[in-house]
Amino acid sequence: MSDRIVSVTERALTTTVDNIEHIESQSLYGIAVVKVFLQPTANVQQGIAQITAISQTQLRQLPAGTTPPLIISYSASSVPVLQLAISGNGLSEQQLNDYGLNFIRTQLITVPGASVPYPYGGKQRQVQVDLNTAALQSKGLSALDVVNAISLQNLILPTGTSKIGPKEYDVSILNAAPQTIPDLNRIPIKTIDGTTIYVKDVAWVRDGFPPQTNIVRVNGQRSVLLTIQKAGNASTLNVIAGVKSLLPQIATTVPPQLQMSPLADQSVFVRGAISGVVRETLIAACLTAFMILTFLGSWRSTLIIATSIPLAILTSIILFSALGETINIMTLGGLALAVGILVDDATVEVENINRNRAAEPEKDMDEVVLDSAAQIATPAFVSTLSICIVFAPMFLLTGVARYLFVPLAEAVVFAMLASYFLSRTIVPTMAKYLLRNDAIRGEKNPAPSRNPLVRLQHRFEEAFESFRHRYRALLEGCLHRRGVFLIAFFAASLGSLAILIPWLGRDFFPTVDSGTFKLHLRAPTGMRIEETANLCDLVERSIRQQIPPEEVQSIIDNIGLPYSGINLSYSNSAPVGTEDADILVTLSPNHHPTANYMHGLRRVLPQQFPGATFYFLPADMVGQILNFGLPAPIDVQVIGQDLEGNRRYADTLLARMRYVPGTADLRIQQPFDEPYLRLRVERTKSEELGFTAHDIAQNLLVSLSGSFQTSPTFWVDPKNHVSYQIAAQTPEYRTDSLQDLENIPVTGTDPNAPPSLMASLVSTQRGTGMAVVSHYNVAPVIDIFGSVAGRDLGGVSGDIDKIIDDARPQLPRGSRVVVRGQIQTMRSSYVGLLSGLVFSIILVYLLIVVNFQSWLDPFIMISALPAALAGIAWFLFITRTTLSVPALMGAIMCMGVATANSILVVSFATEKMMQGSDSVGAALEAGFTRFRPVLMTALAMIIGMVPMALGLGDGGEQNAPLGRAVIGGLIFATVSTLFFVPAFFSVLHGSRRHPAEARSEG
């Protein structure tokens, strides 16, 4: 398979298909899967057309009987979202598989966005011609004679029409194709000495099934499993809801005892995660509104500001819909992230109106609103763009990172732009009418009130003003010693980064407890499927002993190889034979941490079942998407033509990797001990007897594997009008010894050659070989797969890199080692995001330069960013959160928000210098005046992130690092904005003469 079919196909693909990124292949017994990964900029439809064209062309170069390949489109999101278990009392596995394949699956495919591969498990319905080797020997026939007879007398040919009289008649042979299975038994094979030998004399035709290679059990009961996947950008919830709504209709078309039970329902986790994000958003909005109410002491001002939150979110959702996006965990996470900053523009607007009213109480309200809006128009616009522009690098990401985080970036950008538009339109309009009769803040003799909330707010206002004056005194001290302060503060920020970052650890994405885990079992290579099923019984019993019964919702065993190559293409468990099995355990909603059970099973199962290999596969959607079809996050590949040398090197590498702390489930994917029997044709002796190697191979093929691959014939069931395969094969119980194999009768194309036995034409030898042959870019590859437990992926990958570097001198000549999987994706994503972080800072700086027509002031505005980065590092360290892609997203977000607050301070200080103040006085006045809006906007964002940072609810772990990074960065960035930025401003502007002074001298 590998050399004569797969290698030829791979080389042909490299000739005619454009924009190939890399090619992978897995060659098993009788079947192979070739995956072609295209470049990010490639046209997938064009690629499929090119692959289809070359696949049909090169069929003539492949061995006779090779079927054309099934070509499917595959993406990272092609993961199962629902399992449908089909069972029924009184129904055989053959019937279950038949109903699932031909009647249930064909109706489910009509659900928009649903992709339904062939069923797992059961027994494939097939017209089975059970050959009797003893009867064939006695009649002087072989398996090939039976196959030829059925092929010649089971015809599917049109005959034509005949015009007789005024009518034209359709003429056909009534029994050209046998109508019933007994008719197939009565097909004549040969006449010997006047006696006709029929199929029933040397075989028996029955409505049966080929040897079973895939067994599915649901909670111990034999079943058939249909896997529903979502295709493309379809909504998981919509797909699952569509499938469930269709089941009652399908139930009317199948026997009443057939049951269709939805299992492993990902919508439960998705719906819980979405509910959690929505809940976080609502809590954040309420906390933000309460904080604004506390600061402003006016329900009218709070109402104006809070109104912008739902309107901005609604606008963002409308834009999503227009772009064809769906509401998912990432987009909702973006909206939750944006809640805290959606109020920024409105808060600054309302705060400025209140400040101007207090400064000029006799001024007309219309003028106050217009003047206040004009004063902050440019700073607010630049602040909003600063937050939006930091997400521009997200659109430069590729692969899985782009798939996950571009929707989040779009959610924030759309909501922020809507927020700014609202602050320019609805907020001033509402302020004009609602604030006209509102009490002016800062009145010297406010009217006494009996309302306890009003009195409480007055006390808060007094306390806050006292706090503000203390801040002024502290800032004044920093400005007087600004040289020492700036050096110490900047050194502390850089020192924190240098010390803490190595201790944070690096992960690609936080692990999510979805309440499911998938355990893969690999028995000794070559084990029969019946024995593997017995082993699964014992393993399942051990699992139920480890997990309390009330916490186990279902256990699904999927044993052996799937029947279809399509299922094998979608599978992420990489089975190689009947010795493999997946055990999918779904826990009840109120379960203990899944990781604890996995840790216990890792320890117990190898002790109870020595000789078997156990490892865990990603069971949740996020994990499967991140692995992109691989069975593990760590994949160390040894690539080269020297397979034996590479195997020895891989064994050495594996032994060393086992000592790396935090590694788990380490194993080599390709077994080299698959047992085999090889028959060597005695060509000279065979030629003397009148046989060729082709005759011998054909007879052996039909006896052991069936005739359908090389001589396909079909029978149509007149009851359900489904076409089924006809295959002649010797039953397995008649070939269960070496003697039985040697007694297989052989006939050939030479009519003068007497019938013979296999034993007289071949010699037999035993041996072991590879169970699967894997290629990467046509070259043979050996994979070392592994997972991470109790440690960050970055730390584990660093130790693995050291081991690979140390072992490189032992690598066979011409071979190389490549680390793939999540490690490779994580590194490329980190490069993209860190580059994006730097790029976002540059973009923000250039944006401010354009708007303020200055190179110096924008540099002062971004000077708060080192402190923001230090705050991110400190908060992640304190909360024991590793650095990850969501955390880097939070860091990028911080760059925009921190700069936005600095813009308010620096722009006000610049205005003061234009009016005649010196740099120190302008910096002091800017910090003191902008203290409230800066603190309010920072607190709004921080409070809005608290629910997300807690990581509660289903899938809460996914966005928790993002919230924590934002909180830590904003805390330090706010301190830097209120202290470091004014001091830095005073130093850089201290040597410059302000414009008012220059004009007076002129």
Side-chain angles (χ1 to χ4, degrees), residues 105 454 762 887:
R105 189 185 67 86
V454 174
V762 301

Side-chain angles (χ1 to χ4, degrees), residues 511-517 546-548 551-552 585-602 616 951 953-954 957:
T511 55
V512 176
D513 188 348
S514 62
T516 59
F517 65 83
Q546 297 293 319
I547 305 175
E551 293 190 25
V552 178
V585 180
T586 303
L587 303 178
S588 58
N590 300 318
H591 62 85
H592 288 85
T594 308
N596 293 349
Y597 293 132
M598 293 170 63
H599 177 73
L601 291 171
R602 276 195 179 104
F616 288 93
D954 294 332
E957 310 97 327

Side-chain angles (χ1 to χ4, degrees), residues 659-988:
Y659 290 99
V660 175
T663 55
D665 302 334
L666 289 170
R667 74 276 184 188
I668 291 178
Q669 166 65 10
Q670 293 79 12
F672 277 66
D673 56 351
E674 174 81 9
Y676 64 72
L677 292 173
R678 294 289 185 263
L679 306 183
R680 179 182 294 275
V681 176
E682 303 292 343
R683 295 183 185 274
T684 302
K685 185 177 181 180
S686 299
E687 180 64 29
E688 291 173 352
L689 294 175
F691 297 105
T692 64
H694 179 268
D695 299 330
I696 298 169
Q698 282 287 95
N699 282 277
L700 188 65
L701 167 69
V702 172
S703 295
L704 299 184
S705 296
S707 61
F708 182 80
Q709 186 72 17
T710 54
S711 302
T713 53
F714 299 89
W715 173 75
V716 177
D717 188 339
K719 294 180 180 179
N720 61 19
H721 309 287
V722 176
S723 181
Y724 296 98
Q725 300 173 2
I726 301 176
Q729 185 175 357
T730 304
E732 289 186 313
Y733 62 84
R734 285 184 174 152
T735 57
D736 59 358
S737 69
L738 191 58
Q739 183 67 37
D740 290 335
L741 292 177
E742 293 177 339
N743 287 338
I744 292 176
V746 179
T747 60
T749 54
D750 186 354
N752 299 320
S756 185
L757 296 179
M758 193 67 65
S760 62
L761 303 173
V762 301
S763 58
T764 308
Q765 65 182 33
R766 296 175 184 263
T768 57
M770 295 188 69
V772 57
V773 177
S774 303
H775 287 175
Y776 187 86
N777 286 339
V778 192
V781 62
I782 296 175
D783 293 280
I784 303 176
F785 287 132
S787 302
V788 176
R791 192 181 174 198
D792 64 287
L793 182 62
V796 171
S797 67
D799 290 349
I800 290 176
D801 286 341
K802 293 177 183 177
I803 291 174
I804 293 173
D805 291 338
D806 292 342
R808 203 172 296 279
Q810 305 171 26
L811 191 64
R813 186 176 181 275
S815 298
R816 58 194 176 94
V817 180
V818 178
V819 180
R820 294 182 60 232
Q822 277 195 36
I823 293 178
Q824 184 185 46
T825 312
M826 179 187 74
R827 287 172 177 168
S828 63
S829 298
Y830 268 56
V831 170
L833 286 172
L834 290 173
S835 302
L837 184 64
V838 176
F839 191 39
S840 65
I841 294 173
I842 296 173
L843 284 176
V844 168
Y845 176 72
L846 295 178
L847 172 70
I848 305 172
V849 167
V850 170
N851 279 273
F852 284 87
Q853 297 296 305
S854 168
W855 293 97
L856 182 62
D857 287 344
F859 181 66
I860 299 171
M861 293 171 186
I862 66 171
S863 63
L865 300 186
L869 294 174
I872 293 169
W874 271 109
F875 206 79
L876 293 179
F877 180 75
I878 293 170
T879 56
R880 297 185 178 182
T881 305
T882 57
L883 195 63
S884 60
V885 172
L888 288 176
M889 284 289 295
I892 291 174
M893 181 77 180
C894 253
M895 300 303 100
V897 179
T899 306
N901 283 336
S902 296
I903 290 172
L904 293 176
V905 174
V906 175
S907 61
F908 190 89
T910 305
E911 289 178 10
K912 284 296 178 183
M913 287 194 67
M914 294 289 291
Q915 296 170 8
S917 297
D918 61 4
S919 61
V920 176
L924 182 63
E925 188 64 23
F928 182 68
T929 304
R930 294 301 192 194
F931 182 72
R932 182 187 292 267
V934 167
L935 209 58
M936 285 177 64
T937 53
L939 282 177
M941 186 67 181
I942 292 170
I943 292 173
M945 287 291 99
V946 168
M948 181 184 289
L950 293 175
L952 304 177
D954 294 332
E957 310 97 327
Q958 181 172 290
N959 287 327
L962 192 154
R964 292 167 189 168
V966 171
I967 289 175
L970 275 184
I971 290 174
F972 277 58
T974 304
V975 173
S976 178
T977 300
L978 294 174
F979 290 97
F980 183 83
V981 170
F984 198 43
F985 179 90
S986 66
V987 169
L988 294 186

Side-chain angles (χ1 to χ4, degrees), residues 32-38 44-45 47-49 51-52 55 69-75 78 115-118 229 564-571:
V33 175
V34 180
K35 294 183 179 180
V36 181
F37 292 78
L38 301 178
V44 177
Q45 301 306 319
I48 292 175
I51 292 170
T52 303
S55 298
L70 295 169
I71 300 172
I72 58 175
S73 178
Y74 178 84
S75 68
S78 301
S115 171
V116 188
Y118 288 151
Q229 299 180 338
S564 170
I566 293 178
N567 297 47
L568 201 60
S569 302
Y570 283 129
S571 172

Side-chain angles (χ1 to χ4, degrees), residues 343 369 480 520 527 571 580 611 852 955:
V343 298
V369 171
H480 283 310
H520 189 88
M527 180 176 279
S571 172
D580 284 291
F852 284 87

